[in-house]
Amino acid sequence: MKDDAAAKRPGFSIGRLWPLAVLALGLGLFFALGLNRYATLDTLRDNRQALSAWVAANEVEAALVYMGVYALMVAFSVPGALVATLTGGFLFGTVIGGLCTVIAATIGATILFVAAKSALGDVLRARAGSSIARMEEGFRENAFSYLLVLRLVPIFPFFLVNLAPAFLGVSLLTFVGATFLGIIPGTFVFASLGNGLGAVFDAGGTPDLGLIKQPQVIGPLLALAALALVPVIYRRFRRKS
């Protein structure tokens, strides 16, 4: 019986790792080429007039380029997504910039999720112990609610929340839906902040990136996170009853 179970386990092969290898290579090149030096607010401030003029002359193309770059940044897990979100609000306004960012971030996160799941997800789950298997089962049962909470309240790094569900058997549809909905509030907060960067730069100041931690911002996010956990609490209450 043990031999039969072992035979059913997905085999590991180096060929399965190529999606993650491509993403790791992209991350390495990002630093090797020194591109991290440009993912700063100083770069935006120094080039804001040229960027604004380009966007005004090429609105659709500029939005598509922005979304493509943002999606790649998320997929390759490179730093600077917060600056990119502020840039979206600055260039396109709160609504359009926020919407473009949500779509691009969801696409980038999905690329990383699919790459990790196809490369290692099945193999790691097949070799997991019974305790890990029970945790996976509990997470999958309430995956949408748990993911929604993790997206609403950024307790863990964004890239980590993209990877962990891939190893816990979360479905693609659940991942995409929870990611898209969960990042909307925080994204629009920073897009709104980015929309006012022009006045901040003119005054010689710097934006308050700690805005997300302010009570008037984090409070509603925590309330939404608590609401997302209601289905989980209800299921447990029904079982005990």
Side-chain angles (χ1 to χ4, degrees):
M1 294 295 292
K2 291 184 178 180
D3 293 338
D4 293 339
K8 293 179 181 179
R9 290 178 177 177
F12 174 79
S13 66
I14 298 298
R16 294 171 62 101
L17 295 178
W18 73 264
L20 287 181
V22 170
L23 296 181
L25 177 62
L27 178 60
L29 287 175
F30 178 80
F31 288 102
L33 297 175
L35 298 179
N36 55 302
R37 294 176 298 178
Y38 300 100
T40 64
L41 287 175
D42 290 338
T43 300
L44 176 60
R45 182 191 59 212
D46 296 341
N47 297 276
R48 58 178 176 143
Q49 292 182 347
L51 287 171
S52 296
W54 177 63
V55 170
N58 308 274
E59 294 181 359
V60 176
E61 293 85 349
L64 292 175
V65 169
Y66 169 78
M67 292 173 65
V69 171
Y70 198 108
L72 289 175
M73 290 180 68
V74 174
F76 288 114
S77 301
V78 302
L82 176 55
V83 173
T85 302
L86 294 172
T87 301
F90 174 75
L91 294 176
F92 306 104
T94 301
V95 177
I96 301 300
L99 182 59
C100 288
T101 300
V102 168
I103 295 173
T106 302
I107 293 173
T110 302
I111 292 173
L112 180 56
F113 170 81
V114 171
K117 189 170 185 176
S118 61
L120 295 173
D122 293 340
V123 175
L124 292 180
R125 288 199 306 276
R127 285 160 173 73
S130 58
S131 59
I132 299 297
R134 286 194 296 271
M135 183 184 72
E136 291 176 0
E137 183 179 355
F139 189 91
R140 284 197 302 269
E141 183 180 0
N142 304 288
F144 189 88
S145 295
Y146 288 152
L147 273 175
L148 199 56
V149 171
L150 292 173
R151 294 305 192 189
L152 286 168
V153 185
I155 303 173
F156 301 103
F158 193 75
F159 81 92
L160 186 60
V161 183
N162 295 336
L163 287 173
F167 305 140
L168 294 174
V170 176
S171 70
L172 177 61
L173 184 60
T174 296
F175 179 85
V176 172
T179 297
F180 182 85
L181 294 176
I183 64 176
I184 286 177
T187 297
F188 275 87
V189 168
F190 283 110
S192 177
L193 183 61
N195 190 33
L197 275 181
V200 175
F201 288 149
D202 290 339
T206 55
D208 181 14
L209 299 184
L211 178 66
I212 196 72
K213 298 179 182 179
Q214 297 298 319
Q216 62 269 30
V217 176
I218 194 64
L221 293 180
L222 290 174
L224 288 173
L227 186 63
L229 286 176
V230 168
V232 180
I233 298 172
Y234 175 71
R235 290 192 191 100
R236 293 188 177 182
F237 178 77
R238 282 192 62 184
R239 287 177 181 173
K240 291 182 178 179
S241 298

